[in-house]
Amino acid sequence: MANTEAATGAARQRGATNNLEAFWMPFTANRQFKQAPRMLASAAGMYYTTADGRRILDGTAGLWCCNAGHARPRIVEAIAAQAKELDYAPAFQMGHPKIFELAARLVTYMPPGIDHVFFTNSGSESVETGLKIALAYQRAIGQGSRFRLIGRERGYHGVNFGGISVGGIVNNRKMFGTLLTGVDHIRHTHDPERNAFSRGMPRHGAEFADDLERLVALHDASTIAAVVVEPVAGSTGVLLPPQGYLEKLRAICDKHDILLIFDEVITGFGRLGKPFAVDYFGVTPDIVLTAKGVTNGVVPMGAVFVKKDIYEAFMQGPEHMIEFFHGYTYSGNPIATAAGLATLDTYEEEGLLTRAGELAERWADGLHAMKGLPHVIDVRNCGLVGAIELEPIAGQPTKRAFAAFLEAYEKGLLIRTTGDIIALSPPLIVEPQEIDFLFDTLRGILKTLD
Ligand SMILES: Cc1ncc(COP(=O)(O)O)c(C=O)c1O
């Protein structure tokens, strides 16, 4: 090989910094991005700074995860200290003190009776873990015929096979073959004809929960292990549960001894103005799936909460035997654990798990002022979550909202879009004037959008 500079590793590495090709980006329009990259270089508090030095208000808490904002000192310091003290400990047959401390603290946020927690590394893994616990639990209590899992149309439960099987977003499912067998779905709760522009929970649609009775009639309750829903569906475009819907779902599950699983990956850790959606709605499921906010999104971690009865059902057989054949190399990773503890400290010291409730009215006012702007066909709000649904351009779904996203980025605001829905979920440290900036900016964009 000719010994030219181009052939040396040093030159290759210099070139690599300008090479955007190698990285296949997740859930991204790769070709569009690589023509006009949007690079975030640093972050602090409510703001990102782009590689070209512009300040961007974070209207999405990263991906619904940085609930305490960015670069929070306690969390940064805890991670650095932990990396020095104990970088890794085997997750199987070994422990380290802080993960027990985190588990014990986390379960205090749950309703009485939900008092055990299993650690994962993401929302998707929490979903798989929760579904496996549900199936194995039914078998452990002699209900092995209950093999069926029920999800909901338009539900998002991450991207692994169990999650896309119970999930209900067509683009996330259609490419991947037969998925899990024995899965069915209840109908979604979106009903714009009756509920468009509802402030808070929509009035109509509690009866959509009865769709579970339809599936019970079809499959028989004795084949159904669990139902999984997001209390507020986030990634599908912020779909709120109609008033009374979750209570009804709980009652039907109770009637048929079906486990109810809440996927709180987005709603957990203060997003709605209470620590969890279980508090906000006053409905207690059997299993609660979380991730994201547990470490403020800083180090990957997820946590699956279960009722005592479920944990106890596994604690049988010889004591030297593993009770649940499941776990991840990084379950309870020490650095994630340190981030988790420091995140809880930050939430508690700053009252962040209820702060969304204090700002909710101003947030709702800003959102609902979008009614009447061009193309706006619905607005939805709850806690510090918001959605503005746009009429799609005929024949070009998603294009209008994506244009709004690009324009917002140019104007110093990060929003998220899914389909033609703009989804908003700022860090819980957001100040009222930042809420005003967010909606002023969006209003300007929506007024001029094609
Ligand atoms: C409700 C819900 N479940 C699961 C997930 C998957 O989480 P992750 O991307 O960490 O795997 C998400 C992600 O947005 C989510 O919103």
Side-chain angles (χ1 to χ4, degrees):
M1 185 198 290
N3 191 16
T4 61
E5 199 206 19
T8 67
R12 275 205 306 278
Q13 278 179 20
R14 271 205 302 280
T17 57
N18 292 324
N19 177 7
L20 306 186
E21 244 344 275
F23 176 29
W24 186 353
M25 299 174 72
F27 275 126
T28 296
N30 274 254
R31 289 158 302 161
Q32 192 280 342
F33 182 95
K34 289 169 187 179
Q35 281 162 31
R38 298 174 293 279
M39 297 284 198
L40 301 173
S42 62
M46 279 298 299
Y47 294 90
Y48 284 108
T49 302
T50 62
D52 55 352
R54 291 186 310 115
R55 222 162 73 119
I56 306 281
L57 181 77
D58 183 359
T60 59
L63 275 178
W64 314 81
C65 50
C66 305
N67 290 4
H70 299 275
R72 301 310 311 272
R74 261 186 174 282
I75 304 172
V76 173
E77 285 154 23
I79 293 169
Q82 187 61 45
K84 274 193 190 153
E85 187 182 304
L86 176 69
D87 52 357
Y88 179 78
F92 309 158
Q93 305 285 18
M94 299 296 292
H96 63 96
K98 285 190 183 138
I99 191 62
F100 291 91
E101 184 188 343
L102 181 61
R105 272 180 78 177
L106 281 172
V107 296
T108 65
Y109 291 98
M110 284 288 128
I114 299 188
D115 55 5
H116 286 82
V117 57
F118 194 102
F119 288 103
T120 70
N121 308 288
S122 66
S124 297
E125 287 182 1
S126 288
V127 170
E128 304 304 301
T129 300
L131 298 178
K132 286 173 77 174
I133 289 174
L135 291 173
Y137 165 75
Q138 296 289 12
R139 202 177 140 116
I141 61 166
Q143 294 282 319
S145 69
R146 290 181 181 265
F147 61 88
R148 237 177 256 289
L149 299 166
I150 307 292
R152 188 169 61 188
E153 293 166 0
R154 296 196 66 169
Y156 182 66
H157 300 291
V159 292
N160 292 342
F161 270 101
I164 60 173
S165 301
V166 293
I169 297 181
V170 62
N171 282 337
N172 293 356
R173 294 163 50 88
K174 69 182 182 194
M175 307 296 279
F176 308 110
T178 54
L179 311 183
L180 279 191
T181 55
V183 170
D184 211 338
H185 296 77
I186 52 176
R187 64 148 293 166
H188 62 74
T189 61
H190 196 37
D191 187 358
E193 280 75 38
R194 290 192 294 171
N195 289 327
F197 299 104
S198 296
R199 201 173 158 115
M201 296 319 126
R203 274 190 39 220
H204 306 286
E207 72 280 7
F208 294 147
D210 293 331
D211 209 32
L212 182 56
E213 290 283 16
R214 178 180 65 84
L215 295 187
V216 168
L218 176 66
H219 298 298
D220 198 76
S222 66
T223 71
I224 300 177
V227 175
V228 56
V229 295
E230 301 155 90
V232 170
S235 298
T236 190
V238 183
L239 305 184
L240 304 172
Q243 293 169 23
Y245 170 89
L246 291 172
E247 291 85 337
K248 217 162 189 217
L249 204 56
R250 174 73 273 185
I252 299 170
C253 286
D254 284 346
K255 181 174 152 200
H256 298 292
D257 291 326
I258 296 168
L259 295 174
L260 179 60
I261 306 176
F262 276 1
D263 184 342
E264 289 225 40
V265 167
I266 277 179
T267 53
F269 300 100
R271 178 55 51 201
L272 304 185
K274 300 274 189 191
F276 288 86
V278 296
D279 312 301
Y280 188 88
F281 293 108
V283 174
T284 302
D286 303 289
I287 299 177
V288 180
L289 314 175
T290 72
K292 296 192 190 264
V294 66
T295 57
N296 201 36
V298 177
V299 185
M301 177 176 253
V304 175
F305 298 86
V306 303
K307 279 192 171 160
K308 190 184 196 64
D309 296 356
I310 294 178
Y311 175 79
E312 293 297 342
F314 286 82
M315 298 302 127
Q316 44 183 313
E319 286 198 1
H320 70 280
M321 285 290 292
I322 292 168
E323 296 105 352
F324 181 38
F325 282 83
H326 180 73
Y328 302 98
T329 299
Y330 305 112
S331 288
N333 170 279
I335 296 175
T337 305
L341 287 168
T343 296
L344 291 185
D345 290 342
T346 305
Y347 289 156
E348 285 168 11
E349 282 163 13
E350 300 180 13
L352 295 182
L353 297 183
T354 50
R355 190 157 186 275
E358 294 154 26
L359 294 167
E361 283 301 304
R362 192 173 183 130
W363 178 254
D365 289 345
L367 265 170
H368 285 276
M370 302 289 155
K371 186 176 177 180
L373 291 181
H375 316 302
V376 174
I377 56 173
D378 192 10
V379 171
R380 303 185 278 279
N381 73 285
C382 176
L384 274 178
V385 182
I388 303 165
E389 182 153 1
L390 305 179
E391 175 90 52
I393 298 173
Q396 294 182 301
T398 76
K399 200 168 177 194
R400 179 167 278 143
F402 191 58
F405 163 76
L406 293 177
E407 186 63 21
Y409 180 71
E410 289 307 312
K411 291 192 156 51
L413 172 65
L414 184 67
I415 62 174
R416 215 177 132 53
T417 64
T418 165
D420 275 292
I421 300 162
I422 296 172
L424 300 165
S425 58
L428 307 174
I429 57 168
V430 67
E431 291 295 340
Q433 65 275 16
E434 289 162 334
I435 293 179
D436 295 345
F437 168 82
L438 189 156
F439 290 122
D440 288 348
T441 306
L442 266 180
R443 194 174 309 112
I445 293 168
L446 292 177
K447 274 184 185 158
T448 58
L449 209 59
D450 286 339

